[in-house]
Amino acid sequence: MFSVDERKSSNVLSDWHRSLAAAIRDPAELLHELRLGEFAVRVSAAAAKAFPLMVPRSFLARMRPGDPDDPLLRQVLPLDDELQPVAGFVSDAVSDAEFRTAPGLLHKYHGRALMIAAGSCAVNCRYCFRRHYPYGDEPRRLDDWEPALEQLRTDSSISELLLSGGDPLMLTDARLGQLIERLEAIPHLRRLRIHTRLPIVLPDRVTDQLLAMLTESRLTPIVVVHSNHAAEVVADCEAALRRLVRAGVTVLNQAVLLRGVNDSVDALAELSESLINVGVMPYYLHQLDRVAGAAHFEVDPDVGRRLIAELRKRLPGYAVPRYVQEIAGEAHKTVIE
Ligand SMILES: *Cc1c(COP(=O)(O)O)cnc(C)c1O
Ligand code: SF4
C-alpha cells in the first residue's frame, strides 16, 4: 500500500494513480453517468455505507448506458438485498483466519502460501468474499512483513508465493519491487503468482515497469486476473491483457458464477472466447462463497453443473474453466462435478 509520503515524494502521480483518484465513489453519480438517474431509488445508502461503492472510469466506460441490468453495473451497485440476513451466509465464509501462520500470510494448501499484500482494491465488488476481512490487522510497511518472510524462509515445502489482497497491484511498482526482491532471496521459492483484478478494472496499472519487474524476476510469474463477463474484456482492458501475455507472462482468469451477471451458457461462452482470443486461459469458475450480503448473487450448483456441461459442447477443452468451490477443511479447492 502506498503511503502518503511516497505519493508526495514523487511530484507527479503516475497515470494509474490518477485514474484511481478519479474513480466514482458516489452511486448517484454512477447512475447519472449511465443515464439511469431514475434508478437512484434502488441504491441502498446503508449497503453503500457498510461497503462503499468504488468504480474506476475505465470500467464505467464498458457499461451500457440506459441499462439498469447491465452485468458490470450489477457487480458494483449497492442494493438493499445485501442487508437481508440469510441463513448460512457469514462474515468469514472460507475460514481464512485459522490458516493465518504469520501476520498477512495464509498457508492453506500444499506448496503454496498466500500473502495479503494490500488491503484495498480499485473496485468494490458487492459479492466479494473478503468484504468483511479485518485488513486493518495486516502488515503495511515493508518491515512488518518480516515475520511472514521468516515463515516462508523456514518452510522449504513452499515453492509458490501468491500475492493477493485486496489487490496486490494497489502497491506502487517501487513497493512491489522491494517485496519481490525479498521473496527472490528465498531459494526454494520458484514461482510468483499475482491475483489481481486491476488489469480488468484499471488497465492503466499494467505499466512498463510492472511488466519489466515480472519478466526479469528469477521467479516465474503467473498473473491470475478476475473477469466475470465478456463486456469487461474490451478496449483498454483487452490491450492491457495482451501486453501481459506478449511480455511472456502466463495469464489465467478466475470468474465467479453470479446470478444476473454470467449465469447463462451464452455469457460464459462469450467470456471464455474473449479471454482465449487474447491468450488468457480460463482457470476457475467459482461457486459463490457464502459471504454475508451476497446471497442474491448465488446460483444453484445444479444450474452451474448444467452450464459447464453445455460449455463443453461449445468450446475447446482448454477454454472450459474448472467449476470449483471453497470448502473449509479441504486440502484443495473442490471441483464441482
Ligand atoms: C485459492 C487459494 C490458493 C490457490 O489455490 P490454487 O488451487 O492453487 O489456485 C492458495 N491459498 C489460499 C489461501 C487460497 O484460498
Ligand atoms: S477485486 Fe477481488 S478482492 Fe477486490 S473487491 Fe473485487 S472480488 Fe473483492
Side-chain angles (χ1 to χ4, degrees):
M1 189 169 305
F2 53 84
S3 65
V4 173
D5 289 348
E6 214 174 312
R7 287 179 63 167
K8 273 192 202 142
S9 67
S10 66
N11 285 331
V12 283
L13 290 180
S14 56
D15 288 347
W16 73 268
H17 276 129
R18 222 174 286 130
S19 302
L20 188 61
I24 295 185
R25 291 171 171 81
D26 174 4
E29 184 185 355
L30 175 67
L31 292 172
H32 176 76
E33 292 281 341
L34 292 168
R35 288 190 257 113
L36 288 169
E38 74 273 24
F39 286 93
V41 290
R42 275 211 208 169
V43 172
S44 166
K49 191 160 177 251
F51 188 53
L53 172 128
M54 168 128 83
V55 183
R57 292 192 183 260
S58 158
F59 198 62
L60 163 66
R62 286 170 266 156
M63 295 178 187
R64 272 190 310 259
D67 181 0
D69 299 318
D70 178 84
L72 279 59
L73 177 62
R74 186 167 162 80
Q75 293 176 59
V76 298
L77 196 66
L79 301 177
D80 278 331
D81 294 341
E82 295 174 29
L83 304 171
Q84 304 302 322
V86 177
F89 286 76
V90 296
S91 290
D92 182 11
V94 294
S95 335
D96 274 345
E98 60 179 289
F99 298 98
R100 192 170 179 268
T101 54
L105 193 71
L106 299 178
H107 189 192
K108 202 168 189 175
Y109 301 136
H110 181 78
R112 56 248 197 251
L114 182 154
M115 264 180 158
I116 310 277
S120 58
C121 290
V123 67
N124 284 340
C125 312
R126 307 315 300 179
Y127 54 86
C128 180
F129 78 110
R130 291 201 199 282
R131 57 182 284 170
H132 307 287
Y133 194 90
Y135 287 115
D137 303 346
E138 300 301 14
R140 286 169 188 276
R141 290 167 314 154
L142 203 53
D143 286 344
D144 296 341
W145 282 109
E146 201 38 50
L149 291 164
E150 188 52 29
Q151 176 72 31
L152 291 171
R153 280 180 207 117
T154 54
D155 188 344
S156 60
S157 74
I158 299 172
S159 54
E160 178 165 335
L161 190 279
L162 282 70
L163 295 181
S164 184
D167 200 308
L169 292 188
M170 290 292 276
L171 299 176
T172 61
D173 285 329
R175 177 56 58 86
L176 196 62
Q178 290 166 336
L179 188 54
I180 292 175
E181 243 171 59
R182 295 202 186 183
L183 293 169
E184 282 171 335
I186 302 173
H188 50 267
L189 286 185
R190 303 296 302 276
R191 300 179 302 280
L192 176 71
R193 196 199 305 183
I194 299 183
H195 278 238
T196 174
R197 202 173 187 198
L198 262 64
I200 307 297
V201 299
L202 196 81
D204 288 358
R205 180 63 189 92
V206 183
T207 60
D208 291 337
Q209 201 183 342
L210 175 67
L211 291 179
M213 211 152 39
L214 294 178
T215 53
E216 288 163 16
S217 174
R218 173 185 79 72
L219 304 168
T220 299
I222 300 144
V223 170
V224 183
V225 296
H226 169 187
S227 172
N228 298 316
H229 196 279
E232 295 169 18
V233 190
V234 297
D236 50 348
C237 167
E238 181 179 349
L241 293 174
R242 278 189 197 278
R243 272 158 47 73
L244 274 166
V245 170
R246 292 207 173 129
V249 177
T250 296
V251 187
L252 309 174
N253 183 64
Q254 51 182 349
V256 182
L257 183 57
L258 298 167
R259 197 195 323 159
V261 174
N262 58 13
D263 56 338
S264 72
V265 184
D266 284 345
L268 291 174
E270 283 164 20
L271 172 61
S272 275
E273 293 260 6
S274 302
L275 293 166
I276 62 176
N277 286 344
V278 295
V280 176
M281 293 298 126
Y283 179 40
Y284 282 152
L285 175 67
H286 289 269
Q287 177 66 14
L288 182 80
D289 292 314
R290 305 192 95 190
V291 60
H296 56 293
F297 283 111
E298 192 173 49
V299 177
D300 189 293
D302 281 335
V303 174
R305 283 189 187 92
R306 279 201 295 277
L307 292 170
I308 292 286
E310 288 303 313
L311 277 189
R312 289 213 173 89
K313 295 181 195 162
R314 284 219 205 164
L315 296 171
Y318 64 82
V320 181
R322 270 150 279 186
Y323 180 34
V324 295
Q325 184 168 20
E326 179 106 23
I327 298 177
E330 294 290 321
H332 51 80
K333 306 227 193 285
T334 307
V335 178
I336 305 178
E337 290 173 310

